[in-house]
Structure formats: C-alpha cells, structure tokens
Amino acid sequence: MSEAAVQTTDPELRERILHGIGELLPRVLKRELPEIPQDACLFDDLGLTSAGTIELILELEESLDIQVDVEQITEDDLRSVTRLADYVAGHVIPED
C-alpha cells in the first residue's frame, strides 16, 4: 500500500467536507434535495454528472479554503457522498 493511502485523515476536516458536500450539492445539481443519505450514490441516486463532479470539488475547495489533488481520483471514489469525503480528506494538498 502506498504511503498516501495509509495517510490518516483529520476527522474534523472530514466532517467539514461532508457538511460542505451536503450544502453544495443542491447548488451544483441546480435543484433542492431532501436529506442526502451519506451512502447515496452521487451518479445513480443524485444524478451528478462528470462535469458536476468537477464543479462540486472546485466549490468544495473554495468554500473550505483547501486544495485537493484530483489526479488519482477514481470512479470508485465517486460512488457515494462518504467515499468522496474520504477521498477529499485524504488528498488535501498542504499549503507551503
């Protein structure tokens, strides 16, 4: 396993990311959403598109003032709200 995969994530940051996803998804999807289950599939359940995914990550970066390394993101990382939060929390680029 690579060191990046073993990297521990900050639980507080992960919570902020989950909250941010919940707040930003309705704006990105351009529609109101009822309560978003954390295991909801971003594509199948919520109708997110590839372009919407990029927009969501960019919005997250801006709202949380973080930068995310998206070079290694996979379809699996986009399966659900929690998977995306885990990916983002584990791939924040530290500021110099």
Side-chain angles (χ1 to χ4, degrees):
M1 207 188 263
S2 73
E3 266 187 57
V6 176
Q7 185 180 76
T8 56
T9 59
D10 175 351
E12 182 190 323
L13 175 62
R14 187 177 176 279
E15 277 305 308
R16 286 179 38 225
I17 292 166
L18 275 171
H19 181 76
I21 292 171
E23 293 220 325
L24 294 168
L25 263 174
R27 186 178 346 162
V28 171
L29 294 171
K30 295 175 180 41
R31 63 185 166 90
E32 287 297 312
L33 290 174
E35 186 72 25
I36 303 167
Q38 290 190 359
D39 62 349
C41 178
L42 293 170
F43 295 108
D44 297 340
D45 298 339
L46 302 175
L48 194 67
T49 61
S50 299
T53 303
I54 293 165
E55 185 181 343
L56 178 61
I57 292 172
L58 290 171
E59 294 264 356
L60 261 178
E61 287 180 326
E62 194 171 307
S63 73
L64 298 175
D65 196 25
I66 59 174
Q67 202 173 359
V68 180
D69 178 4
V70 292
E71 301 228 346
Q72 299 168 356
I73 199 165
T74 66
E75 194 176 315
D76 210 40
D77 296 316
L78 301 171
R79 290 219 183 277
S80 69
V81 173
T82 52
R83 293 295 283 272
L84 178 58
D86 289 340
Y87 180 87
V88 171
H91 291 82
V92 171
I93 300 169
E95 291 186 31
D96 294 332

